[in-house]
Amino acid sequence: MDVMTGKTASVTYIGRKPSKRDTVAGSAYVWAGYGDTHEVPYSIATRLLRHKDVWVLEAEFKKMFPEKSPHDVAPVKSEGFKIPASVDDFDDDDQGDDQGDDSDGDQGDDQDAGDDQADDAGDSLDAVIKNAILSLETDNPEHFSKNNAPKINAVREAAGDTSITPDQVRAAWAQMGA
């Protein structure tokens, strides 16, 4: 829902890519290929709909292709990026087999697994915060301060997480190169 007006619009992606991220309005919306529809704030929809070869209103899409459902269209298969490993990716003393290696001297108390999960949770929260920041409207004074920094409450609302701290938002903002 658009914060200012309360209006939304159903926008359907009609491009050729297997997935499409909103790079026009800078929101965090990602369409999962041709025929995928998202309910977006009206202020974002107006910017997206300027690109008629990429996005259309859902009603227009249904008029253009009444006999086809988005599920009838064969999805484009993407294998993603394949980056080969190089010698520089490994430590000099790493033999590739760390079974039995108890370098932290914890005698197999399995605390390392918990540490990894905590790191993953921190990484995912960081991604949530960054996506929330990207979904904010830079020209909206309720979203950004006079210094062009995201407002904490706007990020919390966009992320749906009231436990996000100002330090976490500042760190994510700094990582984004702002």
Side-chain angles (χ1 to χ4, degrees):
M1 176 170 29
D2 192 322
V3 177
M4 300 302 281
T5 64
K7 296 179 182 178
T8 61
S10 295
V11 177
T12 302
Y13 175 67
I14 59 169
R16 296 178 169 216
K17 295 181 180 178
S19 67
K20 176 64 176 157
R21 184 174 62 91
D22 169 18
T23 56
V24 174
S27 71
Y29 291 101
V30 178
W31 282 259
Y34 180 83
D36 191 24
T37 302
H38 284 291
E39 189 80 16
V40 301
Y42 187 75
S43 59
I44 293 173
T46 56
R47 289 186 238 169
L48 296 175
L49 294 172
R50 292 177 189 157
H51 305 276
K52 297 185 182 301
D53 57 334
V54 182
W55 288 286
V56 296
L57 288 172
E58 182 181 32
E60 292 175 22
F61 177 77
K62 288 180 178 178
K63 286 179 188 175
M64 291 172 18
F65 306 104
E67 70 283 348
K68 287 188 179 180
S69 144
H71 304 292
D72 294 340
V73 177
V76 177
K77 195 106 176 180
S78 173
E79 294 187 21
F81 295 104
K82 292 184 180 180
I83 302 173
S86 72
V87 176
D88 297 331
D89 293 334
F90 301 98
D91 293 335
D92 292 336
D93 61 345
D94 188 9
Q95 301 299 318
D97 182 15
D98 61 354
Q99 293 183 8
D101 177 26
D102 198 14
S103 60
D104 63 358
D106 63 7
Q107 302 299 324
D109 64 4
D110 292 331
Q111 288 294 338
D112 292 337
D115 293 344
D116 290 344
Q117 290 174 350
D119 288 345
D120 291 344
D123 290 344
S124 66
L125 179 59
D126 190 48
V128 167
I129 293 171
K130 288 178 182 177
N131 282 335
I133 291 171
L134 289 172
S135 72
L136 300 177
E137 297 174 8
T138 55
D139 56 342
N140 185 339
E142 292 181 10
H143 292 179
F144 281 85
S145 69
K146 293 177 184 175
N147 298 332
N148 291 326
K151 290 191 174 181
I152 307 303
N153 287 333
V155 173
R156 287 176 177 159
E157 184 178 334
D161 185 350
T162 58
S163 68
I164 293 173
T165 66
D167 288 337
Q168 290 170 321
V169 173
R170 282 188 210 102
W173 184 241
Q175 288 174 0
M176 295 171 72

